[in-house]
Amino acid sequence: MSTTPENPTPETLLHDQLLERIRERACGYDRDNAFFTEDLAELSEAGYLRALVPTELGGLGWSFADAVRGQMRLAAAAPATALAVNMHLVWTGVAKVLRDRGDDTLDFVLREAGAGEIFGFGISEAGNDLMLFGSRTVAEPQAGGGYRYTGRKIFTSLSPAWTRLGTMGLDTASDDAPKIVYGFIDREDPDVRTLDDWDTMGMRASQSRTTVLDGAFAAADRIVRRLDPGPNADPLIFGIFANFELLLASVYAGIGDRALELAVAAAHRRTSMKNGGAALSQDPDIRWRIADAALAQEAITPQLLAIARDLDELVDHGSFWFAKLVGVKVRATETAKHVVDQAVRVSGGSSYFAGSELGRLYRDVLAGIFHPSDDESAHSTVANAWLGPLES
């Protein structure tokens, strides 16, 4: 029996009792380097994985602004759980972007997600700083229009649980080659292997393991794009970029929110012998640190919601869309790092212990600097938007 409330909002679906159970499990997942199996079961039962699926296809019909609020709430409870769920939401979000603009290419993603399938994001490759604009994976064309993919995909979140994997590779064999080919493969494919190689500093429960494709097959009806390598104005590229950056930023904004809560609680809890046992909340230096963190953190949510509403309302930012998206991602991740750092300084040595929630947030938040777009790429994107491309 479904536990989804009628007409759920992010606040009613991800209610406090559910989030508290998820938060309580996070320490154990992190300690044991274990996948968030129980979290995923509860979130699936509640309907959260169907958030961006239209109601007529079995989903909740949420807006992107709703998804931002949901991911912030979930990440405040368990960042690694939220980060992994992000990758499923990205694909359903890409399908929504296309559908909202009259393109039904990925409607099968929405139908299958509405029926309970879980989508993984198999795009990243070691050493591929071109990201969506190039690939080290071979996409070999097959009779009938399908493709076989051979290569390695890294940081494949949801590795123990995904049932469909969206991926890409480079076709150098066709008459119109080269082409970047996007397709979806099934978990049951015998030519897909998942390595047990996820042993990281943070975001451990995401189990973002390496996926090895040894000729994994995507049927013709699961090949969704064949694009020229390099920057491309295709709506699929925009959809991937918009969802990845926006939802990723939401996760780190949630980390910042929780770190600020923990800093405030620590300031009220800790006392100073120098000041006659007064709470540190009365210490001017501690008050300044918390105010500094709050000033930075409170600027992020309005930005995220503004970008999300523009995506919902099909606002045309033209060449500035990508600059806006990388900008909010960088600001969210860098702000979260700063807020967590201030919270650790306020909370004292207890946060240095491995089992401390704030210590875990300190490790988790560092992952933000590795997600695309990184700081250098983001600055290049923004410079191109404002100044035009570099002259050759």
Side-chain angles (χ1 to χ4, degrees):
M1 182 177 178
S2 175
T3 60
T4 308
E6 187 175 357
N7 300 319
T9 66
E11 293 74 24
T12 59
L13 191 146
L14 296 171
H15 53 81
D16 291 346
Q17 293 85 354
L18 171 60
L19 291 180
E20 191 54 39
R21 291 194 298 272
I22 289 174
R23 178 175 288 117
E24 287 175 356
R25 289 190 287 256
C27 180
Y29 292 147
D30 178 75
R31 181 192 62 238
D32 300 336
N33 193 30
F35 186 61
F36 60 100
T37 303
E38 295 87 353
D39 290 359
L40 185 61
E42 284 210 67
L43 291 167
S44 297
E45 181 68 17
Y48 190 62
L49 300 188
R50 297 181 282 111
L52 290 171
V53 176
T55 54
E56 62 268 26
L57 296 180
L60 304 184
W62 281 7
S63 66
F64 288 111
D66 291 332
V68 164
R69 285 162 38 219
Q71 282 299 85
M72 287 180 64
R73 284 179 64 81
L74 182 57
T81 292
L83 183 67
V85 168
N86 233 31
M87 301 307 146
H88 170 85
L89 294 179
V90 164
W91 278 126
T92 57
V94 174
K96 174 176 163 56
V97 162
L98 295 182
R99 183 181 173 90
D100 287 350
R101 288 155 180 80
D103 184 338
D104 64 0
T105 303
L106 289 185
D107 275 11
F108 72 88
V109 169
L110 297 173
R111 287 193 301 271
E112 293 182 7
E117 302 293 347
I118 299 175
F119 285 81
F121 194 75
I123 300 293
S124 297
E125 301 164 337
N128 177 15
D129 57 356
L130 292 173
M131 294 306 297
L132 297 177
F133 303 147
S135 181
R136 291 172 175 258
T137 297
V138 174
E140 182 181 0
Q142 305 294 299
Y147 274 84
R148 289 196 177 276
Y149 291 91
T150 301
R152 287 187 172 221
K153 301 297 183 177
I154 60 173
F155 301 138
T156 314
S157 299
L158 289 169
S159 281
W162 64 260
T163 61
R164 305 281 189 268
L165 185 71
T167 191
M168 69 172 191
L170 182 66
D171 173 3
T172 61
S174 296
D175 291 341
D176 60 351
K179 294 289 184 181
I180 301 290
V181 183
Y182 289 84
F184 287 79
I185 60 180
D186 292 345
R187 181 150 203 129
E188 294 79 11
D189 191 315
D191 296 315
V192 177
R193 290 186 292 124
T194 298
L195 304 184
D196 188 7
D197 62 350
W198 188 250
D199 188 9
T200 51
M201 180 188 303
M203 295 294 188
R204 288 162 66 81
S206 72
Q207 290 300 301
S208 305
R209 304 171 186 175
T210 298
T211 302
V212 181
L213 307 176
D214 292 319
F217 181 66
D221 64 352
R222 292 297 188 263
I223 299 299
V224 297
R225 285 296 194 277
R226 297 177 71 255
L227 302 175
D228 293 332
N232 198 300
D234 190 277
L236 178 75
I237 301 300
F238 172 72
I240 292 173
F241 202 86
N243 278 275
F244 193 91
E245 300 295 88
L246 179 65
L247 293 172
L248 188 76
S250 303
V251 169
Y252 287 88
I255 293 175
D257 280 348
R258 179 58 176 169
L260 184 56
E261 288 180 359
L262 293 173
V264 170
H268 285 299
R269 181 182 67 251
R270 299 180 67 208
T271 58
S272 169
M273 291 181 65
K274 290 190 301 182
N275 294 324
L280 289 185
S281 59
Q282 303 305 305
D283 184 297
D285 294 330
I286 296 297
R287 293 174 70 87
W288 186 93
R289 284 198 185 279
I290 290 178
D292 180 66
L295 284 167
Q297 181 64 23
E298 289 186 354
I300 296 301
T301 300
Q303 295 179 52
L304 281 167
L305 291 175
I307 294 290
R309 283 193 293 267
D310 284 355
L311 194 58
D312 283 319
E313 296 168 7
L314 280 64
V315 173
D316 183 8
H317 287 300
S319 61
F320 279 89
W321 249 123
F322 289 91
K324 290 179 180 294
L325 291 163
V326 299
V328 77
K329 180 269 175 181
V330 168
R331 289 191 295 275
T333 53
E334 292 297 324
T335 297
K337 269 181 78 244
H338 174 68
V339 172
V340 171
D341 183 70
Q342 292 288 56
V344 167
R345 293 170 186 270
V346 166
S347 299
S350 63
S351 61
Y352 197 61
F353 282 80
S356 160
E357 181 181 2
L358 193 50
R360 174 164 44 81
L361 295 186
Y362 193 84
R363 291 182 283 108
D364 285 347
V365 80
L366 292 179
I369 66 176
F370 301 111
H371 303 301
S373 293
D374 62 22
D375 199 34
E376 294 80 10
S377 176
H379 278 76
S380 176
T381 298
V382 174
N384 287 341
W386 285 94
L387 300 172
L390 284 170
E391 297 178 2
S392 57

